[in-house]
Amino acid sequence: MSSSSALHQLPFDVLLAICGQLPPCACVERGDYTRALGCSRDHAPGAFGGGELSALRQTSRAWRTAALGQGLRVVVASSRWMHGGDGSRLAAIRRYHGRHVRRLVFRSSDAYHSGRHRAGDGVCAELEAALALAWPSLAAVAVDWFSSDASDHIRIAAAVQRYAPRIRDFYLRDKAAAVARIVPLLGPVGARVARLAVTPYGFNQHWAALLPSERGAAAAVRRLAGQLSLLAVGGPDVTGELLEALHATQPRLRTLQLEHASVEALRSAGSLGALTTLRLEHVLVGADGVLPLSAGVLPRLTTLSVRHVWRAADRAADSARGAVSLQNDRWLAPVWAHRWHALRVLALPAIDDIDAQALPHACPSLERLVTHSLDYAGPRLSAAGLVCVLSRLPRLTHLAIEQRRADGSPGYDIAGAALCRLLGCADDDARFGDRMLSRMSPPPSPTPAADCSPPPPPSALRLRALCIPYAAFTAPALDALVHQLPSLSFLSVTLRSDSLFAGDNPPRPHLSLRRLALRADEDVLADPLWLSAWLAQRFPALRECCTNHARSHRQTVAELRALAPAVSFTRLSSRALQTTCN
């Protein structure tokens, strides 16, 4: 049994007391208490962090058991804990960590999954009991609800006003959640919130119920005294009137998130010049099947994230929800038609070679690019498209191509051998690393105005993270690749077992790589002696290595940890995305 597993066996109060001595970091959120003791804190934020509130649905069993995270500042309270008046677990957290907790998340899903969905009063009472514990530093409350009952919303708002009147962030997700209904109920609290999220739980609703309709959202926003810095809305609330109200009354608004909503209002919207971040998740586009975004409407946008785009179904029989996933090669055409001078971060479902050619001209200052679709059905991105992105975006520091098809296969075709052939080299050529990116020439531009200047020299590349998890490389080709990226600190690729010992040149150590996500076949994974030696020679500064070892490889992983004690070996999930733009 590992030391981390042994910690999980401790009594709840003892575990909380131990966690109270840990430094603030996201390791605790993942339940990795042992590693948190020596953590460098260099991790992606969790719930209520840079990912806003999206991490609510990504909690593990270990995390829910301890209900701690983000440096002991976030508590995820399950309604199961409070059922029947048994609030001992939450009370224990309050006793040990109450002074640290700044954000309380209440999830009612347990009540509805256990058949208590008709007992709305009981679940509301459990929420009130959780808030009544009097968290002295509480600044944010998030409620994940499933009843769509207006009377429940009244009690939720009343509980927040009574027990958490000083909060600055409020989040509610429910089927019938509406800004016009919630904001008046919050009273003085609503007038002070800086980050407001009122979004519908739209996964099982027909898109006809989520189309825009003026229900008072614009008037409700005008009541918020111009304090909003973040607003997340969805469903019928997303109208042209709402966008006009935001422009006129919310000069501090920097982040707008639209969920389960039609985005046609963006087509005719006036300037939203103050916005720097726009997130679109499960959005419906018009009949033309394109994303209606314009740099003229969003001139200062620095971050754009798009997840799950839908279009109206041609026939009712095509979809029970009245919409189908958007899959065509022109849905991004309006985006590429403009020049986004301020855009630094871009997350899209997927890109193909046409997008890869247009992207550098449209987003010349891009620093982070992520693709993350899990059901992509369009043309695969090729090695030529990757070369185009790498060579024509000199400011790029983070590149993650994780688009996949519905069957789990990659939505790109980037093999190490194909990349070498494109560059005119053999993948075991001793001079491959010296000539690699310097010989790249950009593909023809799709527009006459595109910049056709030669690519920058390899020394100008600033890439620090490269994630192409299903791109297969031999050991010599991988060695050549990483040495053209001297600043690389994170890499995710597939290692082929053939030609592992090809070439007579000694390995050249890469001194910057700290994290490696490595997929390999049985020949590589089953030989801990060779793998540990290879890692030590190539990446002496490595601190974390995620591999696709199966659960049956426990002995192999134990030997790896013994042979390389300075490296933390973890298991790579085959389904979870490895990177995010949040």
Side-chain angles (χ1 to χ4, degrees), residues 17 53 59 109 190 206 262 285 309 321 327 423 441 452 474 477 484:
L53 305 164
T59 52
S109 55
H206 196 280
S262 169
V285 301
V309 183
R321 293 190 59 204
Q327 302 281 359
L423 301 173
S441 58
C452 295
T474 61
Q484 293 304 315

Side-chain angles (χ1 to χ4, degrees), residues 163 217 238 385 391 460 524:
Y163 299 112
V238 182
S391 62
V524 175

Side-chain angles (χ1 to χ4, degrees), residues 94 98-104 131-142 156-171 186-195 227:
R94 167 66 179 86
R99 66 187 184 278
H100 302 296
V101 174
R102 294 182 55 81
R103 299 174 174 96
L104 176 67
L131 290 172
L133 290 173
W135 309 88
S137 302
L138 195 64
V141 172
I156 292 170
V160 170
Q161 286 193 71
R162 180 178 180 182
Y163 299 112
R166 296 189 301 273
I167 63 169
R168 299 284 291 168
D169 302 351
F170 179 74
Y171 169 79
L186 290 174
V189 175
R192 287 193 298 269
V193 293
R195 291 159 38 113
Q227 299 296 318

Side-chain angles (χ1 to χ4, degrees), residues 402-426:
E402 296 196 71
Q403 59 202 49
R404 309 178 201 173
R405 298 189 180 276
D407 61 359
S409 61
Y412 53 86
D413 185 11
I414 305 173
L419 183 61
C420 297
R421 286 195 298 270
L422 178 67
L423 301 173
C425 309

Side-chain angles (χ1 to χ4, degrees), residues 266 270-273 275 278 293-301 304 340:
L266 292 172
S271 176
L272 297 172
L275 278 186
L278 177 63
L293 293 181
S294 166
V297 175
L298 303 161
R300 299 182 184 177
L301 200 67
L304 173 61
W340 303 80

Side-chain angles (χ1 to χ4, degrees), residues 482-507:
V482 297
H483 281 86
Q484 293 304 315
L485 305 170
S487 301
L488 201 65
S489 62
F490 169 69
L491 176 65
S492 176
V493 293
T494 294
L495 181 64
R496 288 167 45 191
S497 61
D498 56 326
S499 304
L500 286 177
F501 306 99
D504 299 327
N505 295 314

Side-chain angles (χ1 to χ4, degrees), residues 199-223:
T199 57
Y201 188 81
F203 293 102
N204 58 349
Q205 296 194 61
H206 196 280
W207 272 103
L210 300 170
L211 294 178
S213 64
E214 180 51 46
R215 302 187 301 179
V221 163
R222 291 189 176 96
R223 299 179 55 172

